Amino acid sequence: MGMGPVRGLLERLLGGRASGVSGADAGGDEGTGVAETERWLVVGLGNPGPKYAGNRHNVGFMVVDELAERGGHRWKAHKAHADVAEGRLAGTPAVLAKPRSYMNLSGGPVAGLSRFYKVPMERVVVVHDDMDIAFGALKLKRGGGAGGHNGLRSITSSLSGPDYLRVRVGVGRPPGRMDPAAYVLKDFSSTERKDLPLELARAADAVESLVTEGLERAQNSFHT
């Protein structure tokens, strides 16, 4: 799998342009012609608005933006308080999503989308930042605790369980005695931004592998 298009990515991270959401509320007919047993829900976590666009905490948004861009999928507003892009990931039916709530309230939109699209927990994938993993690395797993991540805590509560899939994108630990909460709400450093398009593309590749090849094969391919 290639890197995929990353045009304008650094401009978005620097707040140069908006998220590109378009279309009317997608709260209509649930019958899209896609078999319910095939569809996946891939949720990127972040905080809404240009103020947070380049933050480390928003790397989940960045990854699903990359997936939508490489597939030519358009974002539209959904009544579950999220932006969604419907299409296929490497040929597999999927819905990409970015909650429009703040991070610590991500669970409501995720649960609402899971119900609307009739996607069971085992086919829900959450892409999020992880301070326990170095920048430039990622890990994939199913289930587990929240590890202090408020978005995961909210999703686990709203889905009534932790057994969804996670793509954990490394952002590294804060330097010195910096407050971790302040660290994730800062933009990636200038050095990190040079490598960020490649890292986002690699994380997007990992999502596609997870959906099409399964967790074990994806772990074997992408764990470093």
Side-chain angles (χ1 to χ4, degrees):
M1 302 179 188
M3 281 181 57
V6 292
R7 297 184 304 273
L9 177 60
L10 295 181
E11 287 83 357
R12 287 204 300 275
L13 299 183
L14 295 173
R17 63 184 176 93
S19 63
V21 176
S22 62
D25 184 274
D29 186 1
E30 296 180 43
T32 62
V34 176
E36 294 171 3
T37 55
E38 298 176 356
R39 187 188 286 117
W40 289 72
L41 174 62
V42 179
V43 182
L45 297 190
N47 287 308
K51 174 182 177 181
Y52 302 100
N55 290 178
R56 295 179 177 90
H57 222 19
N58 273 42
V59 74
F61 276 12
M62 299 175 199
V63 173
V64 294
D65 276 338
E66 165 68 14
L67 287 165
E69 188 175 1
R70 65 170 55 173
H73 308 315
R74 296 184 63 191
W75 292 101
K76 57 187 176 181
H78 193 281
K79 67 181 182 180
H81 203 52
D83 296 321
V84 300
E86 300 178 16
R88 290 178 177 269
L89 294 181
T92 300
V95 178
L96 304 174
K98 296 186 290 185
R100 280 189 271 127
S101 63
Y102 284 98
M103 178 71 81
N104 61 353
L105 298 175
S106 299
V110 175
L113 291 170
S114 177
R115 289 191 300 268
F116 181 86
Y117 289 105
K118 296 182 171 63
V119 178
M121 191 186 302
E122 58 264 27
R123 289 201 308 278
V124 174
V125 180
V126 175
V127 186
H128 64 92
D129 60 298
D130 196 313
M131 289 190 299
D132 291 330
I133 300 173
F135 177 81
L138 57 85
K139 300 289 184 182
L140 300 91
K141 72 173 185 176
R142 181 185 296 280
H149 196 292
N150 289 332
L152 296 180
R153 183 178 293 110
S154 176
I155 292 169
T156 296
S157 176
S158 295
L159 291 180
S160 300
D163 293 330
Y164 47 92
L165 291 155
R166 296 105 182 271
V167 176
R168 305 161 61 202
V169 182
V171 297
R173 300 296 303 179
R177 297 183 179 180
M178 180 183 287
D179 180 4
Y183 175 74
V184 296
L185 291 176
K186 288 186 176 295
D187 287 0
F188 286 97
S189 70
S190 58
T191 300
E192 290 169 333
R193 284 199 295 271
K194 293 177 183 178
D195 294 326
L196 189 57
L198 179 62
E199 299 306 328
L200 297 179
R202 184 168 175 269
D205 289 345
V207 172
E208 291 181 341
S209 176
L210 178 61
V211 167
T212 60
E213 300 179 322
L215 177 59
E216 185 175 355
R217 291 190 65 180
Q219 288 173 327
N220 290 338
S221 297
F222 290 93
H223 282 189
T224 56

